Amino acid sequence: MDALGLGLTLGLAAGISPGPLLVLVVTSALRSGRRAGVLTACAPLLSDAVVVAVTLLLLDRLPGRALGVLGVVGAVFVVWSGAQTVREARSAALPTDATHPTLETTTETTTETGALKRAVVVNLLSPHPWIAWATALGPLIVTTWRESAGAGAALLIGFYATLVGGKIVIALLVARGRSRLRHNGYRRALTCAGVLLVLVGITMGVEFAGHLRTD
């Protein structure tokens, strides 16, 4: 799988998977409309700048073998995430205000700017981006970049294109009406994403294991 395709696949799976940010995307679209939902979906473009900068700076100092070990660990994490996604897809449902009553409406969070600010803080404080970048995405980006700067950039761009794009599509569908977004369709999309994630994890594991044998 080429770097761009790998990035697109990883980003799509992450973009539509359940999590705190997806909850905020859906509730923002329901409460404040399409624009608020789309802005919330774009939060990773701001919050992940810190995560990516810190992890890549640290990982770039590591030797190839250490990156290989982290890459194998990350591949296992990706496979596990894919299996969990497939399992959760059986009963998955997009969040609503009724299923998440703890998300209280305030004057600030019902505005577009407030929704974006809240999403950035939640995503920055969430452990998921840090774990993903430290174990899977970070080693993959650094290794790919060392082989080809263009491929590394393509992987990063592809990842964020579908990570944010997937959430934007969900926000638009939710804003247009719940009747347009069926739970069964969401479950099928999650299952496909989970299977792709497992396949990508296996591919990553084989590639990083190969790096360990050659070092």
Side-chain angles (χ1 to χ4, degrees):
M1 185 180 295
D2 63 8
L4 179 60
L6 184 58
L8 292 171
T9 302
L10 288 170
L12 178 62
I16 66 174
S17 295
L21 184 57
L22 184 62
V23 172
L24 290 178
V25 169
V26 171
T27 53
S28 294
L30 286 172
R31 293 172 177 174
S32 306
R34 177 178 60 187
R35 183 176 172 84
V38 170
L39 284 175
T40 304
C42 293
L45 297 178
L46 300 176
S47 61
D48 281 16
V50 177
V51 179
V52 173
V54 171
T55 54
L56 292 187
L57 181 63
L58 294 176
L59 291 174
D60 192 48
R61 300 171 181 268
L62 296 178
R65 185 169 184 81
L67 282 175
V69 172
L70 281 176
V72 171
V73 172
V76 173
F77 173 74
V78 170
V79 171
W80 177 84
S81 297
Q84 285 290 100
T85 300
V86 172
R87 184 180 65 82
E88 293 170 357
R90 299 173 185 172
S91 58
L94 283 169
T96 64
D97 287 344
T99 58
H100 292 274
T102 57
L103 295 176
E104 299 176 355
T105 304
T106 65
T107 302
E108 180 184 9
T109 56
T110 53
T111 65
E112 296 167 359
T113 303
L116 177 59
K117 288 180 179 178
R118 185 182 183 187
V120 168
V121 172
V122 168
N123 204 45
L124 185 60
L125 296 180
S126 172
H128 297 94
W130 293 96
I131 293 172
W133 274 97
T135 61
L137 294 170
L140 184 61
I141 289 287
V142 172
T143 302
T144 305
W145 183 275
R146 287 177 178 178
E147 295 177 353
S148 169
L155 198 159
L156 188 63
I157 292 171
F159 175 77
Y160 278 102
T162 47
L163 172 71
V164 174
K167 285 180 168 55
I168 287 177
V169 169
I170 290 175
L172 293 176
L173 290 173
V174 169
R176 292 182 66 179
R178 292 290 299 174
S179 61
R180 296 177 180 271
L181 191 61
R182 305 289 184 181
H183 290 318
N184 287 338
Y186 179 57
R187 290 168 184 168
R188 285 194 291 269
L190 271 183
T191 299
C192 292
V195 171
L196 282 174
L197 212 52
V198 170
L199 294 176
V200 167
I202 293 173
T203 301
M204 286 174 57
V206 171
E207 180 178 347
F208 278 112
H211 284 300
L212 286 176
R213 286 195 297 268
T214 57
D215 287 340

